[in-house]
Amino acid sequence: MSTKYVFITGGVASSLGKGITAASLGRLLKARGYRVAIQKFDPYLNVDPGTMNPYQHGEVFVTEDGAETDLDLGHYERFVDENLTRFSSVTSGQVYFSVLKRERAGGYQGGTVQIIPHITDEIKQKIRRVAQGVDVVITEIGGTVGDIEGQSFIEAIRQFQWEVAPEDRLFIHVTLIPYLKSSQELKTKPTQHSVKELQGMGIQPGMLVCRSDYPIPQDMRNKLALFCNVPPHCIIQNLDAPSLYQVPLMLEKERFADKVCALLGLPERRPDLADWEEMVERFQNPQRQVTIALVGKYIQLHDAYLSVVEALSHGGIAHRARVRIQWVASDDLVEPEQAAARLGDVQGILVPGGFGGRGTEGMLEAARYARERGVPYLGICLGMQMAVIEFARHVAGMEGANSTEFDPNTPYPVIHLMEDQEGLQQTGGTMRLGGYGCRLEAGSLIGSLYPQADIVERHRHRYEFNNRYLDRLREAGLRAAGRNPERNLVEAVELDGHPWFVGVQFHPEFKSRPNRPHPLFAGLVRAALDYADRQSRSGQ
Ligand code: GLN
């Protein structure tokens, strides 16, 4: 069977959940036993999404092979449950950059370099590159149809349709059917216009996925079909779901994937969604609730911590508990009294990753509060580094141990740059990115959470635990609980005499899945539930 290609475009408005639609389709096809690859084309010009401001773009998602990508890839991985690669995330900037580099290297031998065919060829090649060994490639085009920056992607997929057989490709357009309060009706005109715009660029969608606040009646589907040149049964409604993970089930009810299979000539298969349904059922019917403080510096934009938030909710699903997040700006935690006021009612504290010096003193306070009060603590990357510094300063007697920007002039650089990194610092090429191995110590808390001692987790950081202080910190009660065997780097730390205090140099949130909650997040929620039990027993 030849590989099938599905292209997902968007119209009328952004933020319609195109990524979730793409991810849901991936899940529904995988549930039918089809092998799926999924990728996103982003129209912006940045070459490296890793350097983008989290306030504008939300979190940077890191793949196993070390690519820093758009957060939509996180949705794809959580829904489809496959590890994606750098080829799954492509920006216009990257496409232009590689064409221009080739031009500089004489690769076009003086020929005129043009958007068509050179840029579009480069894009088409990126579609084919993810197609090996899979049945269906799903490609989402970011932005909305008509955006200037997205045009070369639209043009490339227009061309692509003639390079494969008609039954091997399908265009799905995701649009909005707005509801007008004053006249109390749903409106189809914006969708009609958006489809016309797509048609004007040579693309006829085979299917429309319509976001709508209310069910779309049959006569309206007929009207859309008539004006948009799409059969009525290929108009899929996508109503607001109470939770993201319900979207695939809702779309399954609309027979979305069956219709996609029919259009692509894929044999109809019954989906196995049992584990997904069970997960949604657990999510919707929690028996308990815990509150976890998330202490960071970008908390105004919750998307900056998207994978952490999702992983916390997966941890809750594991224990049938609803996890409420208390957002705490680390800037608001400088004084110890502030920490007590903001963290007094929570059953767990999580300090996630971050960059730069601002807010780090507040993270130290959060770690101190958790350490002193026995509140469960999970420190991720920067959150582990801050916990180590806090401990060095206040318990191991290393006053002046560094924090802000990891000042190397401190008397106690407990967190430092490795020697082989120092020279590279200016070039930005120093980060440890992607999956690295870690061996967990027998008898450690973290070791008891994972089913195996050798794990692979994803990294995105420059600084490391300084092994020079290992013994001194160990004597004071902070121990290494996991190490990278090749370079003997400390990847996880724990505290003696604390019920649940874990710092990890890696980012576990990127590998958590709703139906396979990550052991550290499931562990944190378990610890928070136990903490709540202890509190209620002691009558607090
Ligand atoms: N800024 C720290 C470092 O570079 C932590 C990075 C992170 O938390 N992702 O090591």
Side-chain angles (χ1 to χ4, degrees), residues 213-229:
D213 289 341
Y214 297 94
I216 304 169
Q218 191 56 46
D219 59 341
M220 193 162 276
R221 295 183 194 219
N222 295 344
K223 182 175 166 190
L224 274 167
L226 190 64
F227 281 98
C228 299
N229 206 23

Side-chain angles (χ1 to χ4, degrees), residues 231-265:
H233 72 275
C234 289
I235 292 172
I236 307 286
Q237 74 180 6
N238 185 5
L239 303 177
D240 280 347
S243 83
L244 282 187
Y245 299 125
Q246 255 160 292
V247 176
L249 302 179
M250 260 177 34
L251 290 173
E252 179 61 25
K253 283 213 189 86
E254 287 278 302
R255 304 200 48 230
F256 180 38
D258 281 341
K259 291 172 184 175
V260 169
C261 288
L263 289 170
L264 290 171

Side-chain angles (χ1 to χ4, degrees), residues 352-356 380-383 385 406 415 431 459-464 505 507:
F355 287 84
I380 295 176
C381 206
L382 186 62
Q385 296 170 347
F406 307 106
I415 302 295
M431 279 228 251
H459 292 247
R460 179 174 184 249
H461 59 100
R462 267 189 198 98
Y463 294 90
E464 305 282 353
Q505 189 56 80
H507 288 271

Side-chain angles (χ1 to χ4, degrees), residues 384-385 388 414-421 430-441 446 453-455 457-470 478-493 503-506:
M384 164 188 134
Q385 296 170 347
V388 171
V414 290
I415 302 295
H416 72 154
L417 276 182
M418 305 282 288
E419 269 152 30
D420 57 351
Q421 288 180 311
T430 56
M431 279 228 251
R432 191 142 75 100
L433 281 169
Y436 283 87
C438 169
R439 177 160 303 153
L440 303 174
E441 303 282 331
I446 184 170
D454 283 303
I455 59 170
E457 292 280 6
R458 299 184 195 170
H459 292 247
R460 179 174 184 249
H461 59 100
R462 267 189 198 98
Y463 294 90
E464 305 282 353
F465 182 101
N466 188 346
N467 286 352
R468 186 147 49 105
Y469 296 99
L470 203 57
L478 180 141
R479 55 178 195 279
R483 288 178 213 229
N484 171 273
E486 282 91 50
R487 297 182 63 193
N488 195 31
L489 297 167
V490 172
E491 309 282 37
V493 298
V504 287
Q505 189 56 80
F506 48 80

Side-chain angles (χ1 to χ4, degrees), residues 391-436:
F391 187 88
R393 281 190 191 173
H394 302 128
V395 182
M398 298 184 221
E399 208 180 309
N402 59 359
S403 84
T404 305
E405 299 279 75
F406 307 106
D407 171 15
N409 299 319
T410 159
Y412 303 108
V414 290
I415 302 295
H416 72 154
L417 276 182
M418 305 282 288
E419 269 152 30
D420 57 351
Q421 288 180 311
E422 271 171 21
L424 295 166
Q425 202 187 356
Q426 305 310 325
T427 64
T430 56
M431 279 228 251
R432 191 142 75 100
L433 281 169
Y436 283 87

